[in-house]
Amino acid sequence: MTRRRMFFKMLTYSLLRRRSRMTVALLSVAIGATVLLGMAAVSYDIPRQMGREFRSYGANMIFVASGEEALLRVDAAQRAAALIPPDELIGLTPYRYGIVRVNMQGYTAVGTDFDQAAKTSPYWSIAGEYPKAGGEILIGADVAEFTKLAPGSSMTVTGRAEDGTRFRLDAKISGTVRTGSVEDGFIFMPMPTLESLMGSSGVAEVVEVSIAADETELKRIVSEISREVPEISPRLVKRVTQSETTVLSKLQALVFLVSLVVLVLTMICVATTMMTVVLERRKEIGLKKALGADNRRIAAEFLGEGLFLGSAGGALGAVFGYMFAQAISMNVFGRAVTIDWRLPLLAVLISIAVTIAACLLPVRRAMDVEPALVLRGE
Amino acid sequence: MNILELKNISMIYGSVRALDDVSLSVGQGEWLAIMGPSGSGKTTMMNIIGCMDRPTAGSVLLEGEELSGLSPSSLTAIRREKVGLIFQQFHLISYLTALENVMVAQYYHSMIDEREALGALERVGLKERAKHLPRQLSGGEQQRVCIARALINYPRLILADEPTGNLDEANEGIVMEIFRRLHGEGSTIIVVTHDPEVAEEAQRIVFLEHGRIANVVRRDA
């Protein structure tokens, strides 16, 4: 038998002889690691998960023409969009504005891409449907109320093109839109329709972009587009991005706090168990010291038990934590969580660190045991 | 030549003087018995001789090395190297076999040598019981394992605390025979005992009372 084998034999017997206590400590570490990994995985994935949820509040970036230009070119916007990682780009909607009249009343006509608008502005409440053909339009709720027109009705829109010639469009109202904002006073039509009325194409006043990313990533994208596509001035919609950042940071702080509390509870449970074990083994510790064991050896035996509890509990917790994170993600966000391979490893390492830290006071107590107590027959 | 010298040692716990200005020398190869009633200071003296405690005053020399100023870790090292302890209650580790209990002392001393540990058990007549757990051994056998464990690292001093206190007459005889043999081989033995028959085997008996040496009887004189 080697010294190492003797060490492991004593360690194994020590764990097995107090299996109920050790099981409680092991489960405590496992539960701690489960919550830690579950929370860390969700917290790590929250920006991705919540980012998509937040996209229902509208675009978080707009493109406008840089400098003194009033219009930006749509192909420049497409080049800028190519710089955004495809898995982060939710939608990109150009908007072009023109002045039109309906029954002598002036309105703002907006040409856009309705497929993209549905992605960047999913909060729009549509009665009827989006325009599908060139002769169809979508009117704001206020326009519908003022003109007393409803989906299915016809509307005549007149105005002047850029070259000053008059135009007239007899369109069918496919639906109405209500947002509670300025859109309620607009008349929306497909971009090609407005372009043909205005007599020019390929430009827009503004392009709204919806990107599933946190503020840091958005700032990086802004910086890259400004550098690579100078004719475009990308801007963050601060009311959206800052709300996202605030909510995410509060959520992550909550997750951190819960994890911290669970780790402290785990530490208390392990420390209590190990303290009880030290008290139960005082005579054995005294004997070993009487036989010549120094404090380093005594500490190694208890820390060895701590290492086992930490690594085994941590490994168990990593498995359960994965399942816990998936359960949270599926129930809260309705999709699977992506767990970085480093997180389970980190959970095991933190479990070991917490368990070893919890063992320090009991180990101190073990080192304080006097060898003389075996002579006193205590 | 003296292996152990206690010079004017005192041990004071609060207002209690457990040992009061005690001086004692133990020669190399000597068999000494310490007797005395409860509270006379026997255990305190055992702790000091066994390097498990330091006196409040006075000096302790083991093979010429001063112990009284050493740190607990240095005392542990000396105890490990030079002292073999035998306990009244055996103090075997219940989940280890007789052989492994002997090897535990090797484990804390230096290297584990199974053949040597088996040889130590053979010296106390327990080679055949090497693979038995303590609960499978009689009291006498457990005490012999305890003796084998004390001998395994070739201590300079064997310190026995009531070695026959928990044994019947037959086992007491076996253990004392082992002590006689060890003494014959030149081992230095200090036995603390209440039993006059055990004490009478020693060359010298020291009687303690109220922390002082009340009487010394030389049996080989």
Side-chain angles (χ1 to χ4, degrees):
Chain A
M1 179 180 277
T2 61
R3 288 179 76 173
R4 185 175 296 176
R5 202 168 149 209
M6 177 66 90
F7 175 81
F8 283 115
K9 179 155 192 176
M10 288 199 286
L11 190 72
T12 308
Y13 273 97
S14 174
L15 292 166
L16 289 177
R17 287 176 70 231
R18 291 164 183 83
R19 62 178 76 86
S20 54
R21 277 192 210 293
M22 289 302 170
T23 304
V24 170
L26 187 74
L27 285 178
S28 158
V29 177
I31 290 168
T34 300
V35 175
L36 179 70
L37 179 63
M39 290 291 170
V42 170
S43 171
Y44 190 77
D45 211 42
I46 273 180
R48 188 176 73 88
Q49 302 278 17
M50 292 295 288
R52 291 188 179 272
E53 301 296 327
F54 277 124
R55 297 287 40 82
S56 62
Y57 296 109
N60 49 3
M61 188 182 290
I62 57 168
F63 295 164
V64 293
S66 57
E68 299 298 313
E69 297 293 324
L71 297 173
L72 62 85
R73 293 205 57 78
V74 174
D75 58 354
Q78 298 292 353
R79 273 190 285 123
L83 298 171
I84 301 168
D87 59 326
E88 293 179 359
L89 182 62
I90 304 292
L92 179 137
T93 313
Y95 289 98
R96 183 169 180 189
Y97 302 98
I99 302 299
V100 294
R101 284 181 180 277
V102 176
N103 295 333
M104 303 304 287
Q105 178 69 37
Y107 290 101
T108 301
V110 182
T112 190
D113 177 340
F114 290 104
D115 289 340
Q116 291 296 312
K119 293 177 184 171
T120 56
S121 303
Y123 60 91
W124 282 10
S125 174
I126 304 292
E129 53 189 27
Y130 284 112
K132 289 195 175 75
E136 290 185 336
I137 58 172
L138 180 76
I139 60 173
D142 291 348
V143 179
E145 196 174 324
F146 191 77
T147 57
K148 310 288 185 209
L149 293 174
S153 310
S154 293
M155 177 183 269
T156 300
V157 177
T158 59
R160 284 181 186 275
E162 285 179 357
D163 60 1
T165 57
R166 290 181 179 278
F167 63 74
R168 175 193 171 97
L169 172 68
D170 293 314
K172 181 189 169 196
I173 300 169
S174 66
T176 61
V177 57
R178 182 182 291 281
T179 66
S181 188
V182 291
E183 291 86 355
D184 291 359
F186 292 169
I187 296 172
F188 292 91
M189 59 188 69
M191 183 64 94
T193 304
L194 187 68
E195 286 176 336
S196 69
L197 294 176
M198 301 305 289
S200 66
S201 62
V203 291
E205 262 86 0
V206 65
V207 174
E208 287 189 0
V209 193
S210 183
I211 304 169
D214 60 17
E215 195 173 10
T216 310
E217 170 69 356
L218 289 173
K219 284 181 175 170
R220 186 196 68 74
I221 292 169
V222 164
S223 168
E224 191 175 358
I225 291 173
S226 300
R227 192 175 60 247
E228 300 294 328
V229 192
E231 61 266 44
I232 281 184
S233 173
R235 294 172 191 173
L236 292 182
V237 182
K238 292 212 166 178
R239 114 185 109 79
V240 176
T241 55
Q242 285 186 346
S243 298
E244 282 185 35
T245 305
T246 305
V247 171
L248 287 176
S249 59
K250 283 185 177 172
L251 263 175
Q252 286 176 330
L254 179 69
V255 164
F256 174 76
L257 196 67
V258 170
S259 303
L260 191 69
V261 168
V262 169
L263 285 179
V264 169
L265 291 177
T266 301
M267 194 183 277
I268 290 170
C269 183
V270 173
T272 309
T273 304
M274 292 305 285
M275 193 64 92
T276 309
V277 169
V278 167
L279 290 176
E280 283 177 354
R281 291 176 58 189
R282 277 180 79 237
K283 193 185 278 185
E284 186 184 320
I285 296 164
L287 170 70
K288 287 175 174 176
K289 287 186 135 186
L291 293 177
D294 54 24
N295 283 338
R296 196 172 48 87
R297 289 288 186 86
I298 298 294
E301 288 178 19
F302 282 95
L303 291 177
E305 290 181 28
L307 186 67
F308 168 79
L309 287 177
S311 48
L316 265 179
V319 174
F320 290 127
Y322 178 82
M323 288 153 50
F324 181 51
Q326 292 296 1
I328 292 176
S329 191
M330 290 306 290
N331 282 301
V332 177
F333 302 112
R335 59 176 82 93
V337 71
T338 306
I339 295 182
D340 188 298
W341 65 270
R342 287 169 295 191
L343 285 180
L345 188 66
L346 191 68
V348 174
L349 290 177
I350 291 176
S351 300
I352 291 172
V354 164
T355 315
I356 295 290
C359 286
L360 291 181
L361 188 62
V363 164
R364 181 76 248 171
R365 280 290 179 86
M367 293 198 302
D368 287 342
V369 171
E370 292 177 28
L373 69 83
V374 288
L375 286 181
R376 292 198 290 265
E378 288 179 11
Chain B
M1 179 195 167
N2 290 331
I3 188 170
L4 176 73
E5 284 186 60
L6 308 181
K7 292 180 180 173
N8 307 107
I9 61 164
S10 295
M11 192 68 173
I12 301 165
Y13 299 108
S15 58
V16 178
R17 277 184 173 269
L19 286 177
D20 188 5
D21 199 29
V22 172
S23 294
L24 177 69
S25 296
V26 181
Q28 176 76 51
E30 187 180 358
W31 185 346
L32 177 83
I34 299 172
M35 292 191 77
S38 294
S40 60
K42 298 191 305 294
T43 301
T44 304
M45 188 179 263
M46 278 282 285
N47 286 341
I48 291 171
I49 296 171
C51 303
M52 288 181 275
D53 213 341
R54 287 172 295 185
T56 313
S59 77
V60 183
L61 289 122
L62 183 58
E63 290 195 304
E65 186 175 0
E66 176 61 71
L67 304 183
S68 48
L70 295 180
S71 66
S73 61
S74 301
L75 283 176
T76 299
I78 290 176
R79 181 168 67 247
R80 186 167 57 222
E81 296 296 329
K82 298 186 176 179
V83 183
L85 290 165
I86 297 166
F87 310 106
Q88 179 181 1
Q89 289 162 332
F90 326 133
H91 292 308
L92 300 180
I93 298 174
S94 60
Y95 54 84
L96 298 180
T97 64
L99 182 66
E100 287 165 346
N101 264 286
V102 177
M103 290 194 292
V104 163
Q106 290 180 315
Y107 171 75
Y108 290 120
H109 181 266
S110 51
M111 297 300 292
I112 289 177
D113 184 337
E114 193 168 328
R115 244 178 35 189
E116 196 173 21
L118 211 52
L121 282 177
E122 193 172 14
R123 284 178 74 189
V124 295
L126 282 180
K127 189 181 177 185
E128 306 307 318
R129 310 280 277 167
K131 300 291 182 190
H132 287 68
L133 291 168
R135 65 171 179 273
Q136 297 168 314
L137 302 173
S138 70
E141 288 172 329
Q142 289 188 51
Q143 187 58 293
R144 282 145 70 191
V145 175
C146 183
I147 294 170
R149 182 177 63 188
L151 299 178
I152 190 68
N153 294 321
Y154 305 100
R156 309 291 297 146
L157 179 67
I158 296 168
L159 199 54
D161 177 32
E162 298 283 5
T164 58
N166 277 347
L167 302 183
D168 57 26
E169 203 170 325
N171 277 306
E172 181 179 318
I174 294 170
V175 168
M176 291 316 295
E177 179 53 39
I178 293 169
F179 274 54
R180 278 192 287 272
R181 201 170 67 231
L182 290 171
H183 181 236
E185 291 166 358
S187 294
T188 306
I189 303 170
I190 298 177
V191 178
V192 173
T193 183
H194 278 102
D195 188 341
E197 284 186 30
V198 172
E200 279 172 13
E201 296 273 353
Q203 293 165 291
R204 188 161 50 125
I205 306 172
V206 173
F207 290 92
L208 285 179
E209 256 183 44
H210 305 299
R212 286 173 168 270
I213 294 178
N215 193 14
V216 177
V217 175
R218 286 193 175 277
R219 296 199 61 259
D220 56 349

